Amino acid sequence: MIKQALYTAHASTTGGRTGTSATDDGRLSITLDTPKALGGNDGPGTNPEQLFAAGYSACFLGALKAVGRGEKVKIPDDTTIDASVSIGERTEGPGYGIAVAMTVTLPGFEHDKAVELVAKAHQVCPYSNATRGNVDVEFTVA
């Protein structure tokens, strides 16, 4: 739960995995396609897993920068987060689930300090908080 919404995004999707999705402000308008691995045609569109990977990695980098500001350390501009989102049948119960693996590259930081910052960012990132306890999320600090 949140105390008060600071921002609310709005998007509309038609056609599901083989449709279109667009935001109400016109900044995002995409075609969706299902990957061959999920029985689709692997067309030119994107898919929900790619969108989740992009959203989570961007949000997590924002959380990492916020943690850095709080600790008075600058997170380098060339910091990267490579996110992989997998989909498959759930190990328990019906339906499908996702798993996330992120590799964080923090140039100029000692490995232990980078691991510490990533762990702290995982506690404050909205995506991490939304998925905690329901999605396997694994971090590797390069």
Side-chain angles (χ1 to χ4, degrees):
M1 297 233 233
I2 59 175
K3 291 179 185 177
Q4 178 182 357
L6 301 175
Y7 169 76
T8 301
H10 301 277
S12 180
T13 301
T14 58
R17 285 184 169 270
T18 56
T20 60
S21 191
T23 57
D24 64 339
D25 62 6
R27 291 181 181 187
L28 177 70
S29 179
I30 56 171
T31 299
L32 301 164
D33 277 311
T34 303
K36 276 188 181 181
L38 297 178
N41 64 3
D42 227 10
T46 190
N47 60 64
E49 293 73 33
Q50 291 172 324
L51 294 169
F52 194 86
Y56 196 166
S57 60
C59 187
F60 194 84
L61 186 49
L64 191 58
K65 289 180 178 184
V67 167
R69 281 191 301 275
E71 297 209 359
K72 309 280 192 257
V73 295
K74 183 181 182 333
I75 302 302
D77 291 338
D78 57 347
T79 297
T80 58
I81 299 178
D82 295 316
S84 299
V85 174
S86 301
I87 184 171
E89 290 185 40
R90 292 170 38 120
T91 55
E92 296 180 21
Y96 293 86
I98 60 172
V100 177
M102 288 199 272
T103 300
V104 181
T105 304
L106 260 167
F109 280 84
E110 290 183 10
H111 187 263
D112 289 347
K113 182 62 177 178
V115 168
E116 176 189 326
L117 291 170
V118 167
K120 288 180 179 179
H122 188 44
Q123 295 306 307
V124 300
C125 174
Y127 273 67
S128 292
N129 288 332
T131 60
R132 190 170 285 110
N134 190 44
V135 173
D136 291 330
V137 179
E138 176 185 308
F139 290 95
T140 301
V141 178

